[in-house]
Amino acid sequence: MSRPAASSHFEIEPFGRFSLAAASDFAGGFPAGIGASASANGLLAAFPVEGWRDSAAVDVWQTDDGVVNAESHGSDDVATIRRQVTRSLSLDHDGRGWEAAGQRDPVLGAVQTRFDWLRPVCFYSAYEAATSFVIGQRISMRQGRVIKDRLAATYGDEIEVAGHVVRPFPRPDRLLEASDVPGLSAVKLGRLHDLARAALDGRLDTERLRALPDADALAELQALPGVGPWTAQAILTRGCGTPDTLPLGDVISRTAVGAAYGLPEPPDDATWTQIAEPWRPYRTWATVLLHMAWRRDQPAAPSYRLTRDRSSSG
């Protein structure tokens, strides 16, 4: 049976420019497996609520005054739901200096203008980022989405929204029940089970990880099964939503930066770091934006999985 359709409303006031329409376009077209989809008003976000007692489905829209509104269903933990929605839209950071970063760097500024000062759309938790990236290792984006949908259909909580049933990705305890998932190898399923246990043990606590220095957070993440350097950095930037981390292990982002700045080849670490200096304190935001712009301009771009860690540790 689906959970009762009781709902709660809350508002999020952005600091700085923000367009939910731009975020919706990003979520629908960027291969991050975020899970945001269209609703009658804007975005429909569905996810396990941290604490892992239940799940939520949240209808999100923006009014003419710029305020982001949300109607949540399926869980009464409104404070945690609000935190996860706010973080997933990068609204938990003060973006009033984001436009100034583009004024300091006209290359970035032109891309900001083109995409309406887009902020990254992140996963709803480090747990969901970690499981999504591990599922996606060495397979296509489409295959990864199919597997996630299968897991949600079988093990996700049922939530009723406007007469429709929504099933988010499974909570960690439900993911531990998964077995023989079509398209998912036994090795990956074992890693997903390990990640579920890590979430239940608090090792994938999103707020704790992002409060750590980047080096410490990355070291903790790389200690998890199936998580290598690239995956750890992706979890930190796209799961924890850190705004000022340079993803130096991401080959595609490095290529995008080189193309944006007219370099004959992708920049080395020192060059990228120097280019990114005017972006502070939004180096993650700038990198994600340049990455997306490059992908939109390169329809034959190599598969996203080519940036995954090549080692068996993900």
Side-chain angles (χ1 to χ4, degrees):
M1 296 178 62
S2 60
R3 293 181 180 274
S7 63
S8 299
H9 177 266
F10 58 87
E11 296 181 351
I12 306 166
E13 184 171 357
F15 291 97
R17 288 177 178 263
F18 176 75
S19 166
L20 186 66
S24 179
D25 179 60
F26 176 94
F30 196 83
I34 297 162
S37 58
S39 75
N41 295 316
L43 288 179
L44 180 64
F47 51 88
V49 177
E50 290 177 299
W52 316 127
R53 179 172 56 90
D54 49 20
S55 298
V58 188
D59 193 9
V60 185
W61 70 97
Q62 188 171 24
T63 50
D64 291 341
D65 58 3
V67 174
V68 174
N69 289 257
E71 195 82 20
S72 68
H73 307 260
S75 172
D76 60 4
D77 189 355
V78 180
T80 303
I81 294 168
R82 178 191 171 92
R83 181 169 63 247
Q84 289 182 250
V85 170
T86 304
R87 190 175 62 216
S88 75
L89 295 173
S90 294
L91 290 173
D92 56 335
H93 299 292
D94 190 336
R96 285 174 290 191
W98 178 219
E99 187 174 359
Q103 293 169 350
R104 291 191 295 269
D105 180 350
V107 173
L108 173 63
V111 183
Q112 285 178 317
T113 302
R114 176 183 171 188
F115 292 102
D116 205 3
W117 286 268
L118 174 73
R119 306 181 187 196
V121 181
C122 301
F123 288 88
Y124 303 112
S125 63
Y127 158 71
E128 195 160 353
T131 51
S132 294
F133 285 124
V134 166
I135 288 170
Q137 288 167 0
R138 301 177 184 272
I139 62 174
S140 70
M141 294 180 290
R142 185 192 63 80
Q143 288 172 305
R145 289 183 184 275
V146 167
I147 292 170
K148 286 192 67 176
D149 288 345
R150 286 171 178 163
L151 286 166
T154 305
Y155 302 101
D157 293 329
E158 294 184 356
I159 306 169
E160 185 178 332
V161 181
H164 299 281
V165 172
V166 175
R167 288 179 178 266
F169 189 77
R171 289 178 284 116
D173 55 328
R174 293 299 315 277
L175 186 57
L176 287 171
E177 300 173 15
S179 61
D180 298 325
V181 180
L184 190 66
S185 70
V187 171
K188 279 190 182 179
L189 181 59
R191 289 175 177 170
L192 293 183
H193 286 169
D194 288 336
L195 291 172
R197 295 185 187 98
L200 292 170
D201 292 344
R203 286 176 287 159
L204 276 172
D205 182 276
T206 310
E207 293 299 320
R208 184 187 68 81
L209 285 168
R210 76 180 199 156
L212 295 173
D214 284 0
D216 294 344
L218 292 170
E220 286 199 19
L221 289 167
Q222 287 185 59
L224 297 172
V227 178
W230 185 92
T231 302
Q233 199 157 59
I235 295 168
L236 182 63
T237 56
R238 305 302 305 288
C240 299
T242 55
D244 197 39
T245 302
L246 271 186
L248 296 175
D250 186 343
V251 176
I252 297 295
S253 290
R254 188 183 296 272
T255 301
V257 170
Y261 289 83
L263 304 181
E265 58 185 16
D268 58 21
D269 287 0
T271 303
W272 189 355
T273 300
Q274 183 180 17
I275 288 171
E277 192 61 29
W279 306 346
R280 290 179 182 272
Y282 306 102
R283 290 181 298 170
T284 304
W285 291 17
T287 301
V288 169
L289 186 58
L290 291 170
H291 183 149
M292 186 192 74
W294 183 83
R295 283 195 161 275
R296 296 288 173 92
D297 293 337
Q298 300 287 330
S303 171
Y304 196 71
R305 70 177 183 274
L306 294 181
T307 66
R308 303 276 198 253
D309 303 307
R310 290 299 187 180
S311 70
S312 60
S313 62

